[in-house]
Amino acid sequence: MRIVVDLNRCEGYAQCAFLAPDVFAMHGQEALMYDPGPGDDRREQVLRAAAACPVQAITVEGERTEWPRGVLSDVR
């Protein structure tokens, strides 16, 4: 699995860091740090984090990360 975060789009809401703390972390109040190649054991956490991003800055290559409204509503 490969993750790409558009750091120009990221606004530091930190939903990803809350949902997948082993993959995403805030450095200070605005800088996001992340593991671009987490193991497959983190797939569900990463997909939930990507779905929860308010500005959709997270792309998980090879995965659909934009769901219709209402799907995964438990993470939003």
Side-chain angles (χ1 to χ4, degrees), residues 5-8 10-14 16-17 23-34:
V5 177
D6 183 342
L7 296 174
N8 291 317
C10 177
E11 294 185 12
Y13 289 104
C16 57
V23 179
F24 302 95
M26 295 302 294
H27 181 69
Q29 292 183 357
E30 296 180 8
L32 177 68
M33 297 172 56
Y34 67 100

Side-chain angles (χ1 to χ4, degrees), residues 13 20 27-28 44 71 76:
Y13 289 104
H27 181 69
E44 184 175 338
V71 176
R76 292 201 180 224

Side-chain angles (χ1 to χ4, degrees), residues 1-2 6 8 15 20 23 28 31 33 37 42 52 56 59 67 71:
M1 171 173 40
R2 180 161 157 67
D6 183 342
N8 291 317
Q15 294 301 305
V23 179
M33 297 172 56
R42 302 283 182 236
Q56 297 181 353
T59 301
W67 290 272
V71 176

